[in-house]
């Protein structure tokens, strides 16, 4: 477990006493040590969250605003729990009940929240790039809780932490990500995170759901799921993001399941101890069968949720250190 004042020596470059970014809008471009730093910071919160008494006063007196312009269960609740477990005052703004419905612009909404002296803002928005736009306008750290098809950085981090807990190091690990890669911010954040940490990443989707620029992301694309699964240490399944589709991308859910659904038979093509992951929400019987999603000892889906709270605690703590004047931090 690491202490916030003294990160594990040797893992980080000399002089890099702090996470050198005000915001967390994506994992693309982060150095390996910056990602490892956030994972290491989360370990103390994994331990705390497993205690009966889960309260820290680390962020006491701070105000965190969660502004969600898109639906969420896991991300919204875990950011709320994370802030509260750190002692902050947490306020949730749901767009459906806000003045966004009366025509207020995104920037005006952001400036309104800024005027309330939030100490951190957590934003989910349906448009790629919207969170970066808000970050440029406000005075406090901004955390991306998922923007369009762009990135979902805390999901990438929590997935990496889940993998690290199950498999140890990332070097030499083969991770197969299968599903709607085209529309998935989770896939993008995981690709950036896992390739940066040295894992081999394979992505698998029908041609209609594979981004044209996929080769540039240092992954190996597959359309044949059985081939993509061969030798996989981790199998990460993604749902079809119908809300981002205009037009027909697959012949039918039944046909999709036949070719790309994770069944017990298919899982047998991966390594015998391959970890099964899914960021949720799941569409059972489409991209993943229930007997795989609930497979004891193999499915890490509930562990992902657990790690999500710890990662979000770490990110809120680390990104507010500058404003809290924590000694030794940029
Ligand atoms: N994984 C994820 O982002 O889930 P939610 O949409 O429920 O937050």
């Amino acid at each position: 477990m690491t202490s916030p004042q003294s990160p594990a020596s040797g893992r980080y470059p000399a002089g890099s006493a702090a996470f050198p970014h005000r915001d967390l809008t994506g994992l693309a471009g982060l150095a390996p040590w910056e990602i490892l730093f956030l994972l290491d910071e989360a370990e103390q919160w994994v331990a705390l969250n497993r205690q009966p008494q889960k309260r820290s006063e680390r962020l006491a007196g701070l105000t965190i605003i969660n502004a969600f312009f898109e639906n969420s269960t896991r991300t919204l609740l875990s950011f709320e729990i994370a802030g509260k477990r750190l002692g902050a005052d947490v306020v949730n703004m749901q767009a459906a009940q806000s003045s966004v419905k009366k025509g207020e612009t995104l920037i005006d909404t952001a400036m309104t929240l800024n005027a309330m002296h939030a100490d951190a803002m957590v934003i989910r928005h349906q448009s790629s790039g919207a969170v970066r736009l808000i970050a440029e306008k406000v005075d406090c750290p901004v955390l991306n809780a998922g923007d369009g098809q762009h990135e979902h950085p805390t999901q990438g981090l929590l997935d990496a932490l889940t993998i690290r807990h199950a498999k140890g190091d990332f070097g030499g690990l083969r991770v197969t990500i299968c599903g709607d890669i085209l529309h998935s911010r989770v896939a993008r954040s995981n690709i950036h995170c896992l390739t940066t940490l040295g894992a081999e990443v394979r992505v698998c989707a029908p041609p209609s759901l594979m981004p044209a620029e996929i080769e540039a992301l240092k992954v190996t694309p597959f359309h044949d799921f059985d081939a993509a699964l061969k030798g996989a240490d981790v199998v990460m399944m993604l749902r079809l993001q119908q809300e981002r589709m205009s037009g027909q991308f697959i012949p039918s859910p039944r046909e999709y399941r036949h070719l790309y659904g994770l069944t017990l038979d298919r899982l047998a093509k991966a390594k015998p101890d391959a970890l099964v992951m899914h960021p949720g929400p799941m569409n059972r019987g489409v991209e993943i069968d229930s007997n795989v999603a609930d497979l004891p000892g193999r499915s890490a889906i509930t562990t992902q949720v657990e790690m999500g709270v710890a990662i979000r605690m770490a990110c809120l703590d680390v990104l507010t250190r500058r404003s809290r004047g924590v000694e030794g931090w940029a």
Side-chain angles (χ1 to χ4, degrees), residues 5 62 317-330:
Q5 277 75 31
L62 268 56
D317 172 30
V318 166
L319 293 179
T320 56
R321 282 180 187 168
R322 186 194 303 258
S323 64
R324 287 185 286 130
V326 175
E327 201 177 332
W329 300 92

Side-chain angles (χ1 to χ4, degrees), residues 95-218:
Q97 284 92 47
S98 75
S99 288
V100 170
K101 287 284 166 202
K102 301 175 195 164
E104 188 161 58
T105 67
L106 178 62
I107 296 302
D108 283 340
T109 303
M111 296 313 291
T112 300
L113 302 182
N114 195 49
M116 293 176 185
H117 294 292
D119 296 290
M121 286 187 205
V122 180
I123 314 279
R124 169 169 285 193
H125 199 277
Q126 61 276 14
S127 299
S128 304
V131 179
R132 167 51 54 202
L133 194 67
I134 291 174
E136 286 165 7
K137 299 283 178 191
V138 302
D139 300 317
C140 65
V142 171
L143 294 90
N144 182 358
D147 64 327
Q149 300 171 202
H150 172 228
E151 280 226 40
H152 192 350
T154 56
Q155 181 72 46
L157 291 169
L158 76 87
D159 288 338
L161 190 62
T162 303
I163 292 171
R164 189 166 81 170
H165 273 236
K167 301 285 180 191
D169 204 4
F170 296 92
L173 217 56
R174 178 174 290 171
V175 181
T176 298
I177 306 175
C178 180
D180 181 358
I181 307 293
L182 179 66
H183 298 106
S184 178
R185 56 200 180 202
V186 173
R188 276 174 189 74
S189 285
N190 265 290
I191 288 168
H192 293 310
C193 187
L194 294 170
T195 56
T196 300
L197 295 177
E200 175 201 343
V201 178
R202 295 176 162 191
V203 292
C204 180
S208 58
L209 293 173
M210 186 73 84
E213 75 284 7
I214 195 71
E215 308 275 4
L217 295 180
K218 292 186 255 171

Side-chain angles (χ1 to χ4, degrees), residues 16-33:
S16 57
F19 186 72
H21 307 279
R22 191 198 72 165
D23 308 302
L24 185 68
T25 55
L27 300 182
L30 290 193
W33 79 263

Side-chain angles (χ1 to χ4, degrees), residues 69-89:
F69 297 84
E70 249 191 1
N71 292 346
S72 170
T73 298
R74 281 149 287 270
T75 313
L76 176 60
L77 285 180
S78 60
F79 264 116
E80 181 174 359
I81 289 169
K84 286 179 172 169
R85 286 196 182 154
L86 291 170
D89 297 313

